[in-house]
Amino acid sequence: MVTVSLCMIVKNEEDKLATCLDCVKDLVDEMIIVDTGSTDKTIEIAKSYGAKVFNFEWTGSFSDARNYSFEQATCDFIYSADADETIDEENQERFRQLKEDIDELNIDVVQMYYCNQLSHNTVYNYDRELRPKLFRRIRKYVWHDPIHEMINLDSTICNSEVEIMHNPTEDHGERDLSAFRRAIREGEYISKRLHNMYARELFMVGTDEDFMLAKEFFEESIEDNGRDLDQIKEAACVLAHVAVIDGKTEEILKYSLKDLTTIPSSEMCFELGNYYRNKGDLVEAIVWYYNAAYETTPILDIHRGGDMPLHKISECYREMGNLEQAEDYENEANHWVVPDPN
């Protein structure tokens, strides 16, 4: 059976850490806890479980801290976890079986299902998604990006049935948006994946002020010849939203055309619906909200292709005095569910 090192980065996790470690203490062979500046009992709790605790001066990059944690591991595989994760008994047994089987499969990376993502204002579109969680140590995987960090995978990967429950107790939206702005100010290159995450985070949890603070970056991005079509469309959606906030008709036209000349996105149709509703043209607003809900696909926020435009259509019909259709669309919106991506 292979051995597994648990690697975690933590800061002030005294309320969650013990629950997390209770779930994995019998699954892993060593615990590596990298603390980035706790002022509570986090370190004391970690040591009570026999963890090897290392202090790491925070650099502003989650990748730096995760890479440091991986460097301390000595087992065959590394299990990367966060303090707000738990694994129930059924999935603990799946994890144990995985440890027995993995060497015969000649696998370098194992993906597990990350669940419960939509219950705490997180910036993910699906409640259950596969994520790489277990890594063969000798491959020396390296984390990239200062926020929403990830590992570039060029390996033999398998998908397991292990499910991990994500139980965040706080909203990280504003923290993450501030981290994006800091990285941009410091000259960090925003990769394609982070470009998508920044735009997605704005639409899911951003305020009008957050959009305005992001305007300059996305204006530069949309003119950057090094950005591909996906990133141009993402930037166009952000800038169209800014234009709706400002009520700048010419900019709304400019950015919507950048999206609509290719396959339209639900986000852009939703913004056009908002624009016409603000203008008092409820009939035209309904057309664009309808397109957002039924005729297009979201590229950033799945709700802008589902319940959000349906609620808007209902509101428009209610303002027009058509209460029957308003009730129909409201009922559809209230019963809309996030589709399963698998």
Side-chain angles (χ1 to χ4, degrees):
M1 181 185 298
V2 300
T3 57
V4 175
S5 300
L6 169 71
C7 285
M8 301 177 64
I9 57 173
V10 297
K11 180 180 180 182
N12 292 336
E13 301 285 8
E14 66 177 4
D15 294 335
K16 295 173 280 190
L17 184 58
T19 302
C20 174
L21 296 182
D22 279 335
C23 296
V24 297
K25 64 183 180 181
D26 296 326
L27 303 177
V28 301
D29 301 278
E30 72 172 351
M31 296 182 179
I32 306 296
I33 307 291
V34 170
D35 187 84
T36 62
S38 292
T39 56
D40 61 5
K41 295 182 180 179
T42 294
I43 293 177
E44 179 182 333
I45 293 168
K47 287 182 176 179
S48 74
Y49 282 82
K52 302 174 185 177
V53 178
F54 299 85
N55 294 315
F56 182 81
E57 185 174 348
W58 181 241
T59 66
S61 169
F62 286 94
S63 288
D64 290 348
R66 289 208 189 274
N67 287 330
Y68 180 76
S69 73
F70 273 33
E71 290 169 5
Q72 316 312 315
T74 63
C75 293
D76 300 322
F77 279 81
I78 297 172
Y79 176 61
S80 178
D82 291 323
D84 57 5
E85 298 174 6
T86 56
I87 306 177
D88 63 21
E89 290 186 5
E90 179 181 357
N91 286 286
Q92 288 175 33
E93 185 55 39
R94 289 174 178 167
F95 198 115
R96 291 189 189 94
Q97 188 62 49
L98 181 64
K99 287 181 66 176
E100 293 183 5
D101 297 340
I102 194 169
D103 250 1
E104 297 179 12
L105 299 174
N106 193 29
I107 295 298
D108 292 323
V109 177
V110 178
Q111 297 198 119
M112 301 176 181
Y113 284 101
Y114 211 60
C115 305
N116 198 37
Q117 295 192 122
L118 301 181
S119 61
H120 295 277
N121 202 27
T122 54
V123 293
Y124 296 96
N125 281 317
Y126 300 103
D127 202 49
R128 181 176 182 266
E129 292 182 298
L130 282 166
R131 288 191 184 182
K133 295 292 288 182
L134 195 63
F135 307 90
R136 192 179 291 275
R137 182 180 58 83
I138 62 171
R139 289 295 303 271
K140 296 188 181 300
Y141 291 101
V142 176
W143 293 87
H144 299 274
D145 293 330
I147 184 173
H148 293 299
E149 65 282 7
M150 71 169 296
I151 282 177
N152 290 335
L153 301 177
D154 181 16
S155 313
T156 305
I157 304 172
C158 79
N159 298 335
S160 75
E161 292 301 318
V162 178
E163 293 186 344
I164 300 163
M165 295 300 293
H166 184 211
N167 306 292
T169 56
E170 56 187 298
D171 180 3
H172 290 162
E174 188 51 44
R175 180 204 70 179
D176 291 350
L177 290 170
S178 295
F180 278 117
R181 293 193 289 265
R182 182 178 63 249
I184 292 166
R185 285 195 307 270
E186 294 175 355
E188 290 265 4
Y189 179 74
I190 302 301
S191 65
K192 177 174 180 174
R193 188 181 71 90
L194 282 190
H195 191 281
N196 174 269
M197 292 296 294
Y198 191 12
R200 187 194 305 179
E201 202 137 5
L202 284 168
F203 275 102
M204 290 186 173
V205 299
T207 63
D208 285 355
E209 181 182 2
D210 290 321
F211 272 92
M212 299 307 295
L213 291 171
K215 180 181 179 182
E216 183 178 354
F217 168 76
F218 285 101
E219 285 178 333
E220 293 177 357
S221 172
I222 207 167
E223 300 297 334
D224 184 349
N225 291 331
R227 299 287 183 183
D228 64 14
L229 179 60
D230 291 339
Q231 294 167 88
I232 290 171
K233 288 172 71 69
E234 291 161 5
C237 288
V238 172
L239 294 171
H241 186 83
V242 171
V244 170
I245 294 171
D246 283 344
K248 294 183 177 179
T249 303
E250 289 187 4
E251 291 191 5
I252 294 167
L253 176 62
K254 173 184 176 180
Y255 295 122
S256 63
L257 287 176
K258 287 186 180 294
D259 180 69
L260 299 177
T261 51
T262 60
I263 300 173
S265 67
S266 297
E267 288 84 357
M268 191 61 76
C269 293
F270 187 83
E271 292 305 326
L272 288 168
N274 286 341
Y275 168 72
Y276 283 107
R277 187 179 180 191
N278 291 342
K279 295 276 287 183
D281 190 341
L282 298 180
V283 173
E284 190 65 19
I286 288 172
V287 169
W288 288 105
Y289 288 137
Y290 185 94
N291 279 317
Y294 298 110
E295 303 296 338
T296 54
T297 301
I299 60 174
L300 296 167
D301 178 8
I302 199 167
H303 292 278
R304 280 174 167 76
D307 54 330
M308 288 179 66
L310 293 172
H311 280 299
K312 293 291 187 181
I313 293 172
S314 173
E315 291 169 7
C316 288
Y317 276 123
R318 198 172 301 279
E319 289 180 38
M320 295 166 66
N322 190 333
L323 300 185
E324 183 176 352
Q325 283 197 282
E327 289 295 330
D328 288 343
Y329 279 103
E330 186 69 17
N331 184 60
E332 185 174 354
N334 290 336
H335 290 85
W336 181 86
V337 294
V338 176
D340 186 348
N342 302 303

